[in-house]
Amino acid sequence: MLKVNNLSVHYGVIEAVRDVSFEVNEGEIVSLIGANGAGKTTILQTLSGLNKPTNGSITFKGKKIHGTTPKKIVKNGISHVPEGRHVFSGMTVKENLEMGSFLRKDKEGIKKDMDRVFDRFPVLKERINQDAATLSGGEQQMLAMGRALVSQPELLLLDEPSMGLAPLFIREIFSIVEDINNNGTTVLLVEQNAKVALEISNRGYVLETGKIVTSGIGEKLLESDEVQKAYLGG
Ligand code: ATP
């Protein structure tokens, strides 16, 4: 579904991503893991058109997408939940979720997905008419995930969904990632938290200073020397 070939991305003279190749097949959850500064965020931003590659190619469903605009990439079916707080402040919880569904026409399906979000995160239902800016960090992350669920993209790019969350919330967030995937969305997940990410992933790639150093099947990757080194050896 998504094919990345020999991708390099620079910030001025800094080579943040070096000759990276990987693919994501339809229906999978794939993780890109690696320490701080490994280039994970840069890769996602390049996939969604926010950064331009200096070399390499990106194809989605057989079509070249590098060099096109973020808007066209979204219309093609790729949605990006960036790192940090990413809700629309000045809008209520409900309006934020509605923003997620703006490309969909099936009113009943949207309603069903909204109900699933509220079942999963009852606190969002309690705060349905509250300004999203007044939610806690964890609640904002739930809302961002809820919006991703109702937007039903073909491919969802998720940047560090566990960032800054208490362990209990992290489990919740990751279980909704599985829900989104079961609903038919393919997921590319970027995480520093290798363990929780690989637990729910079909496959994973490990990045170290801009390069992929190893890849493998889900949890098995945790035992590899490269993962041990990336996380323990520094
Ligand atoms: P993190 O989890 O901290 O976001 P990451 O793996 O996502 O880490 P990136 O944010 O992609 O890594 O950063 C990769 C490299 O590119 C790092 O060396 C970083 O300092 C550099 N970098 C990132 N953004 C910029 C920028 N806007 N200008 C210059 N250098 C940047």
Side-chain angles (χ1 to χ4, degrees):
M1 182 184 226
L2 177 77
K3 279 201 168 77
V4 175
N5 281 314
N6 306 108
L7 186 74
S8 297
V9 187
H10 288 74
Y11 296 105
V13 294
I14 300 170
E15 192 172 40
V17 174
R18 285 192 279 167
D19 203 25
V20 161
S21 300
F22 65 93
E23 58 182 52
V24 182
N25 302 312
E26 193 170 347
E28 282 187 311
I29 300 180
V30 172
S31 286
L32 293 178
I33 60 169
N36 227 331
K40 307 178 299 296
T41 297
T42 302
I43 291 175
L44 287 198
Q45 287 176 344
T46 310
L47 295 176
S48 60
L50 302 168
N51 264 326
K52 297 273 170 271
T54 33
N55 200 16
S57 67
I58 305 167
T59 56
F60 179 63
K61 294 187 293 181
K63 269 204 297 198
K64 167 181 119 59
I65 57 164
H66 60 275
T68 51
T69 61
K71 199 170 161 188
K72 282 200 181 127
I73 292 173
V74 172
K75 281 212 167 137
N76 265 320
I78 300 182
S79 160
H80 185 173
V81 177
E83 187 177 332
R85 300 189 176 202
H86 20 240
V87 297
F88 300 104
S89 50
M91 283 188 182
T92 64
V93 166
K94 182 157 184 263
E95 286 163 345
N96 264 273
L97 290 172
E98 284 168 353
M99 285 291 287
S101 67
F102 82 110
L103 285 174
R104 287 176 67 179
K105 305 262 180 300
D106 57 323
K107 281 211 169 99
E108 270 186 25
I110 296 170
K111 164 95 180 45
K112 221 168 114 198
D113 283 343
M114 291 247 195
D115 288 343
R116 292 178 61 191
V117 173
F118 292 135
D119 282 348
R120 171 69 71 166
F121 300 129
V123 67
L124 294 182
K125 189 165 194 177
E126 286 163 26
R127 311 208 161 161
I128 187 164
N129 292 317
Q130 202 167 309
D131 187 329
T134 64
L135 302 179
S136 73
E139 289 160 357
Q140 290 190 14
Q141 184 65 285
M142 292 176 194
L143 181 54
M145 301 302 295
R147 203 172 61 217
L149 192 144
V150 293
S151 78
Q152 257 192 356
E154 285 176 71
L155 175 65
L156 177 65
L157 309 175
L158 276 180
D159 198 349
E160 301 261 4
S162 77
M163 175 80 115
L165 298 184
L168 197 66
F169 276 145
I170 295 178
R171 295 279 159 204
E172 270 302 318
I173 293 292
F174 277 75
S175 75
I176 202 170
V177 175
E178 287 185 300
D179 252 24
I180 291 171
N181 179 248
N182 289 333
N183 228 8
T185 292
T186 304
V187 180
L188 177 62
L189 175 67
V190 150
E191 262 292 337
Q192 273 194 59
N193 195 332
K195 192 169 184 316
V196 281
L198 292 174
E199 267 172 21
I200 64 157
S201 297
N202 300 96
R203 294 182 303 112
Y205 294 86
V206 182
L207 274 170
E208 212 181 292
T209 53
K211 281 184 79 79
I212 290 179
V213 290
T214 190
S215 63
I217 310 272
E219 277 185 281
K220 281 195 189 146
L221 198 52
L222 282 175
E223 293 149 24
S224 74
D225 288 349
E226 286 83 357
V227 172
Q228 301 290 325
K229 185 169 154 245
Y231 287 93
L232 305 170

